[in-house]
Amino acid sequence: MKIISDIQDLRDQLRGQNRAVFIPTMGNLHEGHLSLMRLARQHGDPVIASIFVNRLQFGPNEDFDKYPRTFEADVEKLEKEGVYVLFAPTEKDLYPEPQEYRVEPPQNLGKILEGEFRPGFFEGVCTVVLKLFSCVQPKVAVFGKKDYQQLMVIRQMCRQLALPVDIVPAETIRAEDGLALSSRNGYLSAEERSEAVQLIQTLKEIQEKVLQGKLTSADILKIEKDACAKLNARGWVPDYISVRKRNDLLSANDADLSSNQPLVVLAAAKLGKTRLIDNLEI
Ligand code: PAF
């Protein structure tokens, strides 16, 4: 595997490749990331990964400084997965001057859910993903459904800006007890780690209630409120637990509910100092 940090070197290395498949990451790779690499192989060749902890998508009080950086272990894992090139730019390589041109997603998608609680997050994500796409010029890119809203924001960015990149979604990989794998799980104490499973349990309970059918939008609001209260009573601080339509991530009205629009329930909640997100399609 070639490890390249310079944009021009990357372009030289990838010249003539027109089926490249790309997996952008922020490193600290776990089985979830590795499953993206394996899925990528089915969609193109060669497989290109990137590791870059993108300052633009972190708020001033978020975990940019303490975000786990495990470069050597990551390289070993990517080598085993047969990745052809790892693009690992430094901040100077990717942002040699202040990044003043930014991509701002539309309010109705970019400022809800994660966008409401992490102002500037999706602007930071879209800006870096567009820039990484411009460096790698992949035919296909793979994103995990664990970051459900991110996947949708990036898909729409590609569509609206006519970027010639197919976005492939990958299923969430979970630990045996159901907790979605995430680099941030490493922040949890042993006690928090056993409590963390309550997040997906709560989503499963909501999924079950919604699937029983014949609910109004008022019923859904009550289910969401009760779920927040339940987690709260166990010591969590939920940002949101929300049932949304899969196609636009807006709330479902009574007509949507009675016409069985595909739904997804999304949640973000803090357990101690760790903020976890998860979602479940209904
Ligand atoms: O999902 C992530 O790890 C990041 O948001 C991404 C897509 C690599 C952009 O920095």
Side-chain angles (χ1 to χ4, degrees):
M1 181 175 76
K2 296 214 155 46
I3 302 174
I4 299 177
S5 58
D6 178 78
I7 295 176
Q8 191 52 51
D9 291 350
L10 180 76
R11 292 208 167 115
D12 291 344
Q13 181 68 38
L14 296 181
R15 184 156 304 118
Q17 300 284 3
N18 55 15
R19 289 188 57 238
V21 50
F22 177 46
I23 310 96
T25 80
M26 298 204 299
N28 192 236
L29 304 180
H30 49 65
E31 266 308 305
H33 296 109
L34 302 183
S35 76
L36 304 186
M37 309 291 155
R38 289 167 205 148
L39 179 64
R41 253 188 268 130
Q42 300 170 22
H43 290 271
D45 182 53
V47 175
I48 318 296
S50 68
I51 294 180
F52 181 68
V53 184
N54 174 38
R55 189 185 287 277
L56 295 189
Q57 71 191 68
F58 288 81
N61 300 317
E62 293 185 353
D63 55 343
F64 175 77
D65 288 329
K66 73 165 191 178
Y67 197 85
R69 289 156 171 91
T70 50
F71 190 72
E72 272 158 34
D74 292 346
V75 165
E76 242 176 67
K77 290 176 185 164
L78 293 177
E79 259 165 356
K80 282 200 192 118
E81 293 302 329
V83 168
Y84 173 63
V85 167
L86 168 60
F87 180 44
T90 62
E91 284 203 280
K92 238 182 160 182
D93 289 312
L94 207 61
Y95 300 134
E97 54 190 79
Q99 186 65 40
E100 289 164 344
Y101 283 75
R102 307 267 182 119
V103 182
E104 193 181 339
Q107 303 253 345
N108 58 2
L109 180 60
K111 297 272 194 277
I112 60 170
L113 302 168
E114 283 304 279
E116 179 184 342
F117 288 90
R118 302 187 66 189
F121 172 66
F122 287 121
E123 180 183 305
V125 167
C126 284
T127 303
V128 80
V129 168
L130 180 64
K131 194 154 186 177
L132 290 168
F133 282 0
S134 150
C135 298
V136 175
Q137 304 200 6
K139 170 85 177 56
V140 177
V142 182
F143 289 85
K145 282 164 80 169
K146 157 87 172 23
D147 296 292
Y148 204 88
Q149 190 179 4
Q150 169 174 279
L151 168 66
M152 183 169 267
V153 165
I154 287 167
R155 262 209 173 126
Q156 296 209 11
M157 173 179 81
C158 290
R159 202 176 63 219
Q160 287 220 341
L161 298 178
L163 303 180
V165 184
D166 296 333
I167 303 300
V168 171
E171 292 304 324
T172 301
I173 303 296
R174 298 182 180 278
E176 249 177 51
D177 65 355
L179 177 68
L181 297 193
S182 160
S183 299
R184 291 188 169 100
N185 294 351
Y187 299 152
L188 299 168
S189 67
E191 202 185 319
E192 289 167 344
R193 173 61 190 83
S194 44
E195 173 63 21
V197 67
Q198 291 301 324
L199 189 60
I200 182 64
Q201 287 300 356
T202 304
L203 296 184
K204 281 185 183 156
E205 284 162 24
I206 294 177
Q207 182 193 46
E208 236 172 73
K209 285 183 189 153
V210 175
L211 283 177
Q212 279 164 7
K214 300 218 180 346
L215 297 182
T216 63
S217 49
D219 297 328
I220 300 265
L221 277 179
K222 166 125 181 34
I223 289 172
E224 294 168 352
K225 213 168 140 221
D226 291 349
C228 281
K230 182 196 128 188
L231 283 185
N232 211 267
R234 301 184 64 97
W236 294 69
V237 182
D239 280 346
Y240 59 84
I241 300 179
S242 195
V243 175
R244 300 290 172 115
K245 287 179 288 168
R246 278 191 225 172
N247 66 347
D248 57 11
L249 294 188
L250 297 181
S251 303
N253 60 27
D254 291 339
D256 297 322
L257 291 169
S258 54
S259 64
N260 289 327
Q261 285 260 353
L263 301 172
V264 55
V265 54
L266 307 106
K270 276 205 205 83
L271 184 57
K273 290 202 165 95
T274 309
R275 186 173 183 278
L276 299 177
I277 64 169
D278 204 349
N279 64 80
L280 203 55
E281 288 178 337
I282 295 178

